[in-house]
Amino acid sequence: MLALGLGLGGYAAWYRVTRNRPAAAPALARPVPGDQQRVQVEVLNASAAVGAGRAATRRLRDAGLDVVYYGSDTAQALDSTQILVRRGDAAAGTRVQRALGAGSVRSAADAARQVDVTVRLGRDFAALARQP
């Protein structure tokens, strides 16, 4: 009977210790949009380089930004990437610029757009995206 009591007591102690242990974070954890301030971004490829929009989207999402749309920009091809802040403050544009590693930030309020930042990718980003 004593052995049974010691066995159950040991199990109860082990259970309490392991149950209250914090879960280990995954090795490749990505920031989740909303953990900091949520920034909604649209990415438009104005570089004429195939796949630049997808590469930019991947970089932005890895940085915890919420890319809600990516596609092609039908306007003339750009040499330099433009980061246009549509609503909110310029800090959102700066976060996007740091994540991309290219571009210039400017304010271009547009109430019709349902995003915080519009990125128009230029040839400068396309050259960065091709580098290993």
Side-chain angles (χ1 to χ4, degrees):
M1 194 55 119
L2 180 63
L4 180 63
L6 288 175
L8 288 176
Y11 173 76
W14 169 83
Y15 180 78
R16 271 185 257 127
V17 169
T18 58
R19 191 179 75 154
N20 293 329
R21 192 178 297 166
L28 299 174
R30 290 181 173 177
V32 176
D35 278 356
Q36 298 169 358
Q37 181 183 354
R38 185 175 181 193
V39 177
Q40 292 184 329
V41 182
E42 72 175 335
V43 176
L44 303 174
N45 185 0
S47 71
V50 176
R54 190 175 309 119
T57 296
R58 198 172 302 122
R59 282 189 187 196
L60 293 170
R61 286 181 176 163
D62 285 347
L65 296 158
D66 187 12
V67 178
V68 295
Y69 174 79
Y70 75 94
S72 295
D73 191 334
T74 58
Q76 181 179 356
L78 296 176
D79 288 327
S80 300
T81 298
Q82 297 176 349
I83 301 167
L84 308 171
V85 179
R86 301 299 189 177
R87 60 184 181 198
D89 60 0
T94 304
R95 279 184 65 194
V96 170
Q97 183 184 38
R98 269 187 268 132
L100 288 177
S104 59
V105 180
R106 68 181 175 99
S107 179
D110 187 347
R113 298 222 183 245
Q114 298 296 309
V115 295
D116 300 314
V117 177
T118 298
V119 177
R120 296 184 67 220
L121 297 172
R123 291 184 186 108
D124 60 342
F125 178 79
L128 278 175
R130 282 191 297 251
Q131 293 177 354

